[in-house]
Amino acid sequence: MTFDVTAGTAVGAYPLAHDPAPVSTAFFDMAAVGIGGSVNDGEINVVAEGPPTLTFDTTPVALPAGPYGSTQTGTIPANFTPSTGDYSVDFSCVAPAGFTVAPTSGSYDNTDTAADDLTVSATLTDAAQSGDVVCTVTPEGGSATTFTIPVSAPAGAETAPVLDPDPASGGTVTVGGGAPGSNGTGTLVVTPDGGAGTDVADVTCTASAPVSISPASLTFPVGSSPQNFTVTVPLTDAAQTFPGAITCSGTDGNGIFEWVFDVSAPAGVAAPTFIPATSLWSKFALIGVFAALGLLMVGLRRNH
């Protein structure tokens, strides 16, 4: 029994029937003993050979929100249908600036049952990002098809550094000593910690006279070093204490804050004064020194 398939025949099932149907379906031996039978029609199934089918979902992909500098990911679904025969399909994908896609290329054949989804990712910055992932699918022996998938990422959440004063708020800034009437100076150290993005922390300080503080304010970008305020107090001949003399306020990674500091200054100390000795024995000693020097000079002149 033969069945010819003409070029261009559509894929599908074709009936296969006896034509004409047999007159009898029984078989008899020489003794006229019969065996009954039946005739069953069938079908020929025409299957096309060719490469598998690969497509990518073009629904826009929005990456989730997150902190500045974090990497967020999303998925581009791949749809795969194998065919028959020794055929394959290739693909390659290109991500826009600021994004990555993986895998960037690959190949599947008719022995595969599924294709891997694509993973698109981006590192969040201080601005939203968007673009198109473009994938090209080329079946073996066929024409290439392009899939364009819009992708987007939000701006990363930014936080300012957290500021830590030394001494701690409520503590005392102690200035150094000197002579009465001079200025004693001390420092209030502010150290930033953490933060993300371009947000900055800031602090402004004021002082009650006679205490003064400079500069009036400081700013701290993410990753900056500690900075100092200089506290100045005019010294007197007595120790001085100034409760709550310095007030600072500002914003950092924890929000709005306020600090208060006392200031302490030691008593000024005058420099020691040199007073020449004036006792009788001191006078005799000085006369002796000058006399010896005079004799030395006379001796030198005679020798020359």
Side-chain angles (χ1 to χ4, degrees):
M1 182 170 56
T2 62
F3 183 84
D4 296 328
V5 178
T6 308
T9 299
V11 172
Y14 292 84
L16 181 64
H18 293 79
D19 185 18
V23 175
S24 173
T25 60
F27 299 88
F28 296 91
D29 61 10
M30 295 301 294
V33 177
I35 299 175
S38 63
V39 175
N40 298 311
D41 295 333
E43 66 179 21
I44 298 295
N45 191 24
V46 179
V47 179
E49 287 190 348
T53 301
L54 174 65
T55 64
F56 292 104
D57 194 333
T58 57
T59 302
V61 177
L63 303 187
Y68 178 99
S70 65
T71 299
Q72 303 298 321
T73 61
T75 300
I76 299 174
N79 306 299
F80 181 80
T81 303
S83 182
T84 57
D86 187 17
Y87 291 88
S88 63
V89 60
D90 300 330
F91 76 93
S92 62
C93 296
V94 178
F99 294 83
T100 60
V101 63
T104 57
S105 62
S107 181
Y108 299 98
D109 59 34
N110 286 325
T111 64
D112 295 309
T113 57
D116 294 330
D117 294 337
L118 303 178
T119 299
V120 60
S121 60
T123 299
L124 303 188
T125 67
D126 57 351
Q129 305 171 81
S130 62
D132 294 327
V133 172
V134 179
C135 294
T136 302
V137 176
T138 306
E140 183 178 350
S143 300
T145 302
T146 299
F147 298 87
T148 301
I149 305 99
V151 293
S152 62
E158 301 185 65
T159 56
V162 174
L163 301 184
D164 180 31
D166 183 18
S169 179
T172 300
V173 178
T174 301
V175 303
S182 66
N183 288 326
T185 60
T187 56
L188 171 60
V189 182
V190 181
T191 301
D193 181 55
T198 59
D199 275 4
V200 298
D202 62 84
V203 56
T204 299
C205 294
T206 59
S208 301
V211 179
S212 62
I213 189 168
S214 64
S217 62
L218 295 172
T219 58
F220 296 85
V222 174
S224 59
S225 300
Q227 300 183 63
N228 300 338
F229 286 102
T230 298
V231 178
T232 304
V233 178
L235 301 179
T236 67
D237 56 1
Q240 304 173 84
T241 301
F242 305 95
I246 297 174
T247 301
C248 301
S249 61
T251 56
D252 65 2
N254 289 333
I256 299 173
F257 64 83
E258 184 174 277
W259 304 329
V260 177
F261 305 95
D262 299 337
V263 176
S264 175
V269 178
T273 303
F274 175 75
I275 302 175
T278 57
S279 68
L280 180 62
W281 291 108
S282 297
K283 292 178 181 179
F284 285 153
L286 288 173
I287 291 170
V289 169
F290 289 134
L293 289 174
L295 292 173
L296 178 61
M297 292 300 296
V298 170
L300 291 173
R301 286 185 178 181
R302 287 180 178 177
N303 291 334
H304 289 81

